[in-house]
Amino acid sequence: MPFVFEPFKLYLQSLLYLNTDTPSSTKAISTTLKMETSSSFVSKTPTTLIEDREEEAKHIIKKHHFTPSRLLSYQTLSQLATFLPPEVVFSRLRKLYVAAESGFSMRSMESKVFKWNAPTIVLVSGIRVGKKPNKRYDRFKDTFPRFHPSSTEATNSFDNENDDSSKITFGIYIKQAWKITNGQNFGNDKGMIFQLEARQNLFKGSKSVNVPHYCYFSTAGGGLGFGSAPPRINANGSKVYSPGIVSLTIDQSMEFCVFRHLGLGGSYEPGSIHLSHSEIPEYEDRFAITDLEVWGCGTDKELAEQAKNWEWEHREAQARQKLNMMNWEDGKALLEMAGLVGRSGDSGGSV
C-alpha cells in the first residue's frame, strides 16, 4: 500500500525541481520530502504539500540574499532549475544589470556586466509587435531582413499568433565572460537560448557548426545577438543584419527583439519541443522589449575567482582614491621618490 504514493512523490519532486544528488541546501529539501512520504504524507493534501515545499525553497533562497526582480521570481527560479543545475540557480545568482533600474543602454549594460568573469544568464521579455502602426518599430523593421521560409514546402504550423498570451520571455545562458565583438563572436557550445513564456523551449549550442556565431556585443551600433554574426555597419551608419538559422537579436537601443527559428544548421539547435517531430517548423517572433536583465552565476570555483578579481579592483580603486586626495606637495614628493620628476633645485636639460 505505501508504494501507491511513490509516483506522486516523484511528481512533487519534479514540481520543486529537486535533485537528490546535489549537496547542501537542495539535498535538505529532498530529505524532508522523503520523510513526509511516509505515514504523515497521507494526511496532507497535494496543495498543502506543494505550498510547504515552495516555502522551504523560498527560505533557502533568502538565506543567500536573493531578491526577486521583475523577470526573476521564485517561480522563474524553479523553471530555470529544470534545465540548469539547481545548486547554481538557487544559491549562486548575483544581480548584475537590470534595465528597469540602470536604463536600457548598451553602455550601462557593459559597465555592469563586463567585469563579471563567470557564466551569466540574460533574460529579455516583451510584448509581441501587433499590426497597429508604430513609427519606431517601422524604422527597425526597415533595417531587419524579413522572414522567409526556406522553401515553399517548409512546415510553418507553429503559429505563435494562437498563443493565449502576447507576452514573450527568452533567456540566454552564457558560459564565457562577455567581450566587445564588433566584427566577430564569442561564446561556446556550452551555452543555450531558452524560452520561458509563452511556452518553455530549449535551443542548445550546436557542436557541429563549422563557423560558430554564439554571441556578439557590438558597440559600433549593432546591438547584441545570439546565433548570428555581428551586423555590418556601413559608412553612412546603416546596419546590415544577418540573422542566423536559430537566433535571437536585440537592437542597439534595446527596444526590439527578434527570435528566428529555421531548423538545423545554425549555431544553436532547433527547439527541444520540435526535435521529436518529423518536420521542424519555421517561424519568427518579434516583440517590443519591456524588461531586460543579466544575472551572474557559476560554480564555487568560478565565483571564488570572481571574488578575488573584485577584491583586487577594490584595492586598486582605494589606492587611486588616496592618490587623488593627496595635496600637491605630497604627490610631488612621491613622484620624486619614484624618479618620475626632477627635484626642486636640480638643473634640467641635457648637454
Side-chain angles (χ1 to χ4, degrees):
M1 186 65 181
F3 296 102
V4 172
F5 297 99
E6 188 66 19
F8 193 66
K9 165 190 168 183
L10 298 175
Y11 170 69
L12 284 173
Q13 287 180 328
S14 67
L15 281 177
L16 297 167
Y17 316 117
L18 300 178
N19 186 344
T20 55
D21 295 329
T22 56
S24 64
S25 56
T26 51
K27 183 174 287 186
I29 304 179
S30 181
T31 303
T32 306
L33 183 60
K34 288 180 180 178
M35 293 172 61
E36 292 192 357
T37 53
S38 57
S39 58
S40 62
F41 179 87
V42 182
S43 63
K44 291 192 175 185
T45 65
T47 302
T48 304
L49 283 168
I50 293 172
E51 290 175 351
D52 288 348
R53 299 290 77 76
E54 287 180 349
E55 288 302 316
E56 289 181 21
K58 288 181 181 180
H59 175 69
I60 289 173
I61 295 167
K62 286 179 179 178
K63 288 199 302 183
H64 294 279
H65 310 291
F66 170 76
T67 302
S69 67
R70 293 170 64 169
L71 289 184
L72 198 59
S73 63
Y74 293 114
Q75 291 79 9
T76 309
L77 284 174
S78 298
Q79 192 174 357
L80 290 175
T82 62
F83 53 88
L84 294 177
E87 65 272 16
V88 171
V89 173
F90 287 130
S91 63
R92 296 171 185 161
L93 287 178
R94 303 291 184 273
K95 182 173 70 173
L96 301 180
Y97 168 72
V98 175
E101 299 173 359
S102 303
F104 289 81
S105 162
M106 294 281 291
R107 185 181 297 275
S108 178
M109 179 177 170
E110 179 185 348
S111 67
K112 300 285 186 180
V113 174
F114 273 56
K115 291 182 180 179
W116 182 265
N117 294 318
T120 51
I121 296 173
V122 181
L123 298 173
V124 56
S125 184
I127 305 298
R128 281 198 180 92
V129 177
K131 297 180 180 180
K132 295 181 180 179
N134 185 322
K135 291 183 179 180
R136 299 182 72 87
Y137 172 67
D138 288 342
R139 285 195 292 269
F140 169 73
K141 184 175 66 174
D142 291 340
T143 64
F144 199 86
R146 294 182 60 185
F147 169 75
H148 295 286
S150 59
S151 69
T152 56
E153 299 178 355
T155 301
N156 194 23
S157 59
F158 193 70
D159 188 358
N160 287 322
E161 293 182 357
N162 293 329
D163 286 339
D164 295 333
S165 172
S166 61
K167 183 179 179 181
I168 304 177
T169 301
F170 278 92
I172 307 95
Y173 176 60
I174 304 170
K175 284 286 291 182
Q176 291 187 338
W178 286 74
K179 300 177 183 178
I180 295 175
T181 51
N182 293 321
Q184 55 186 353
N185 293 76
F186 69 95
N188 56 33
D189 58 26
K190 304 298 182 183
M192 72 169 75
I193 300 173
F194 54 87
Q195 183 177 1
L196 299 178
E197 291 182 281
R199 57 174 61 80
Q200 181 169 308
N201 207 351
L202 308 180
F203 312 88
K204 297 182 179 180
S206 174
K207 297 179 174 62
S208 58
V209 63
N210 293 327
V211 182
H213 296 133
Y214 295 115
C215 315
Y216 70 81
F217 187 95
S218 171
T219 57
L224 61 154
F226 312 89
S228 306
R232 188 177 75 251
I233 311 299
N234 295 325
N236 61 0
S238 62
K239 307 176 186 67
V240 180
Y241 288 97
S242 301
I245 295 175
V246 175
S247 59
L248 187 77
T249 306
I250 299 174
D251 74 321
Q252 173 73 14
S253 62
M254 295 184 172
E255 286 186 281
F256 302 103
C257 183
V258 179
F259 175 75
R260 182 166 290 190
H261 187 279
L262 291 176
L264 297 166
S267 297
Y268 292 93
E269 297 176 355
S272 55
I273 64 175
H274 309 310
L275 292 177
S276 60
H277 298 173
S278 57
E279 295 184 0
I280 298 175
E282 300 181 359
Y283 62 95
E284 184 180 79
D285 271 321
R286 297 192 178 202
F287 56 98
I289 297 173
T290 56
D291 291 289
L292 196 154
E293 300 178 4
V294 183
W295 291 76
C297 58
T299 63
D300 287 334
K301 181 179 179 181
E302 289 168 329
L303 294 181
E305 186 66 27
Q306 180 65 50
K308 289 181 181 178
N309 292 337
W310 278 356
E311 185 179 350
W312 179 84
E313 290 179 1
H314 180 66
R315 289 198 303 267
E316 290 294 306
Q318 286 184 324
R320 288 192 297 269
Q321 186 178 16
K322 289 180 180 179
L323 187 60
N324 292 335
M325 292 175 63
M326 286 183 178
N327 59 42
W328 165 243
E329 291 301 326
D330 291 338
K332 183 179 179 182
L334 185 62
L335 293 173
E336 287 176 350
M337 291 174 61
L340 298 178
V341 297
R343 292 181 175 82
S344 58
D346 291 350
S347 59
S350 59
V351 179

